[in-house]
């Protein structure tokens, strides 16, 4: 029996191909020879104009309801908007005692400034109830329009007594004059345009015929008028200066300017 040495057999040559190259070859073949595409057309998801018009026709009532609702909301916001007009005045504050010698009642400004601020004192005086109440009485700010349709500038030179009780005045404007009816007093007064009208403790003039046939004005309490004046008033000191800006915002530019001018004049009376 003959035994062969395994080392005497010729070695077979085996070629080992890495797996990585097999995947690369397959990807290259698919790229160079792509499979044929399907001949079926792709689905189109776009909506054409005829289809859109058909959808709107089927929901015409819903579209009209949205349009009407949007218009109503826009009209309400437009008519309910109250216009505001600011007026500004600028004043410079100077304490005359700083120019006087100490023997005559003056003071050293560097020592005095440590515990008294003239600018802050001016701001406090301007925003005090005494000053604001005087402006309310002099400018007739207690008599206000009852609605937005009533022109705020229809009345001029309004004067209201300090102790006048709340009232409601109905004004009717004709070609020849104005008729005023007081709800509280129960009095009716007729006058020509430009003539002064007195109803109880209220007096005013109607310079010319307004663009509306009638209007209602309400006499509000004095405390309410002072609070409204304070809400629209702004006083601010410019940084590192002795200058104060006074601003008042109202629904009528003439009223805003008159109030600012009256405030400055009233402050000058109090500080003199």
């Amino acid at each position: 029996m003959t035994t062969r040495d395994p080392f005497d057999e010729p070695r077979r040559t085996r070629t080992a191909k890495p797996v990585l190259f097999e995947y690369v070859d397959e990807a290259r073949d698919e790229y160079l020879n792509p499979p044929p595409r399907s001949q079926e057309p792709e689905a189109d998801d776009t909506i054409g104009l005829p289809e859109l018009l058909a959808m709107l026709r089927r929901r015409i009532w819903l579209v009209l309801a949205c349009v009407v609702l949007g218009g109503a909301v826009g009209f309400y916001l437009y008519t309910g908007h109250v216009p505001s007009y600011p007026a500004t005045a600028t004043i410079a504050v100077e304490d005359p005692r700083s120019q006087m010698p100490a023997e005559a009642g003056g003071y050293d400004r560097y020592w005095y400034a440590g515990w008294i601020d003239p600018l802050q004192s001016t701001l406090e005086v301007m925003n005090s109830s005494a000053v604001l109440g005087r402006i309310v009485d002099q400018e007739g700010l207690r008599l206000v329009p009852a609605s937005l349709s009533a022109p705020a500038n229809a009345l001029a030179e309004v004067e209201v007594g300090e102790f006048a009780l709340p009232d409601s005045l109905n004004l009717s404007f004709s070609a020849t004059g104005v008729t005023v009816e007081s709800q509280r007093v129960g009095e009716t007064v007729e006058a020509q345009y430009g003539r002064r009208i007195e109803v109880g403790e209220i007096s005013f003039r109607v310079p010319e015929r307004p663009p509306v046939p009638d209007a209602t004005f309400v006499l509000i309490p004095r405390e309410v008028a002072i609070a409204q004046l304070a809400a629209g008033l702004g006083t601010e000191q410019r940084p590192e200066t002795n200058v104060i800006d006074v601003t008042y915002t109202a629904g009528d530019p003439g009223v805003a300017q008159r109030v600012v001018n009256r405030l400055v004049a009233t402050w000058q009376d109090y500080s003199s």
Side-chain angles (χ1 to χ4, degrees):
M1 182 176 181
T2 304
T3 304
R4 292 184 180 183
D5 188 357
F7 294 100
D8 295 339
E9 295 181 0
R11 296 181 179 180
R12 297 179 181 178
T13 304
R14 297 181 179 179
T15 303
K17 189 175 184 180
V19 178
L20 177 62
F21 292 119
E22 293 181 1
Y23 286 111
V24 172
D25 294 340
E26 293 178 359
R28 183 186 59 186
D29 294 340
E30 291 181 359
Y31 177 77
L32 296 177
N33 302 312
R37 295 183 179 181
S38 176
Q39 301 298 327
E40 297 180 358
E42 298 181 358
D44 189 4
D45 296 335
T46 60
I47 301 177
L49 182 60
E51 298 178 359
L52 180 60
L53 294 177
M55 293 174 58
L56 293 177
R57 280 196 298 267
R58 288 195 299 267
R59 297 171 175 82
I60 186 63
W61 293 112
L62 179 60
V63 174
L64 292 178
C66 293
V67 172
V68 172
L69 181 60
V73 172
F75 179 77
Y76 173 78
L77 295 177
Y78 174 77
T79 55
H81 175 69
V82 179
S84 58
Y85 302 93
T88 304
T90 303
I91 61 174
V93 180
E94 183 176 358
D95 197 325
R97 290 179 296 175
S98 63
Q99 309 296 332
M100 300 170 57
E103 295 79 4
Y107 59 88
D108 184 1
R109 67 176 61 187
Y110 299 102
W111 172 82
Y112 184 78
W115 60 284
I116 289 181
D117 187 352
L119 292 174
Q120 185 62 34
S121 301
T122 299
L123 295 176
E124 294 295 332
V125 171
M126 284 186 171
N127 292 276
S128 64
S129 299
V131 172
L132 298 182
R134 185 174 177 180
I135 296 173
V136 166
D137 296 336
Q138 293 177 345
E139 292 297 329
L141 299 181
R142 293 182 56 188
L143 193 61
V144 297
S147 62
L148 296 176
S149 59
N153 57 354
L155 309 183
E157 301 178 9
V158 179
E159 295 181 4
V160 180
E162 183 177 355
F163 303 101
L165 298 177
D167 196 357
S168 179
L169 303 180
N170 298 324
L171 281 68
S172 300
F173 308 106
S174 62
T176 57
V178 56
T179 301
V180 182
E181 180 182 359
S182 171
Q183 295 294 331
R184 188 186 66 84
V185 180
E187 181 182 0
T188 301
V189 179
E190 297 182 358
Q192 297 179 351
Y193 293 112
R195 296 292 184 89
R196 191 158 197 85
I197 303 173
E198 295 185 4
V199 181
E201 297 188 48
I202 308 172
S203 63
F204 56 89
R205 290 190 310 105
V206 180
E208 57 185 5
R209 184 179 183 181
V212 295
D214 51 52
T216 301
F217 289 81
V218 179
L219 186 65
I220 61 178
R222 190 171 185 266
E223 294 75 13
V224 176
I226 293 176
Q228 292 181 353
L229 175 59
L233 181 64
T235 54
E236 183 179 3
Q237 174 191 353
R238 296 185 183 180
E240 300 181 359
T241 66
N242 63 334
V243 176
I244 295 178
D245 292 323
V246 182
T247 304
Y248 182 70
T249 304
D252 181 79
V255 174
Q257 190 63 53
R258 290 203 319 267
V259 169
V260 167
N261 294 339
R262 181 70 66 178
L263 177 60
V264 173
T266 303
W267 168 77
Q268 291 175 347
D269 294 340
Y270 271 82
S271 60
S272 59

